[in-house]
Amino acid sequence: MSSCNEIPKGCEEFKTGKFTYTDEEYSNIIIERNDSLQIERAPDYTIMSKIEWVSECTYTIECYEVANKPNDPRIGTKLTVDILRIEDDKYRYDARVGEYSQKGWIEKIKE
């Protein structure tokens, strides 16, 4: 019997490495992640964030710098991200900040 709140197996595979969004709108963004930092690189910006894993499949990211944009409204914003489902080298996520929520897929880039 499976539960709606069942934790996916294999979340640890996504704690470090290089990733990309599978949604076409964001497919030009490369995410690099280590134990404590996440860097999102797009053609026109780079976002540096602290990452903290609060459970096996949930993490928070807090933006502390947007390159060349010192007053960017994303600075200081903290997102909570749940890994909902894992399929091969990608995961379905739900990212939330306040009332805003976004779901999508992130795929690990094989090096």
Side-chain angles (χ1 to χ4, degrees):
M1 187 165 115
S2 108
S3 163
C4 292
N5 296 322
E6 191 173 303
I7 296 173
K9 299 275 190 251
C11 292
E12 65 277 354
E13 294 296 319
F14 301 102
K15 290 187 177 185
T16 61
K18 285 189 176 182
F19 308 88
T20 188
Y21 294 95
T22 61
D23 304 337
E24 193 170 316
E25 181 180 356
Y26 305 113
S27 64
N28 62 347
I29 299 172
I30 300 295
I31 302 166
E32 295 179 56
R33 188 181 293 156
N34 67 28
D35 292 335
S36 61
L37 297 175
Q38 175 169 300
I39 301 171
E40 290 189 42
R41 298 181 198 279
D44 57 340
Y45 65 85
T46 299
I47 298 175
M48 278 74 72
S49 300
K50 297 175 191 172
I51 186 168
E52 179 182 355
W53 288 84
V54 295
S55 72
E56 186 177 344
C57 295
T58 299
Y59 58 93
T60 61
I61 51 175
E62 183 173 0
C63 175
Y64 67 87
E65 183 180 344
V66 179
N68 302 319
K69 296 181 180 183
N71 297 317
D72 192 288
R74 291 174 282 200
I75 296 172
T77 301
K78 190 173 193 175
L79 290 168
T80 300
V81 182
D82 291 313
I83 296 177
L84 304 174
R85 190 167 81 233
I86 296 173
E87 291 181 9
D88 301 320
D89 290 332
K90 63 184 178 180
Y91 65 89
R92 177 124 174 103
Y93 70 88
D94 179 17
R96 299 173 318 284
V97 59
E99 297 294 315
Y100 174 78
S101 175
Q102 177 179 327
K103 292 183 180 175
W105 288 91
I106 291 179
E107 185 170 20
K108 191 163 193 173
I109 299 171
K110 294 182 182 182
E111 298 187 55

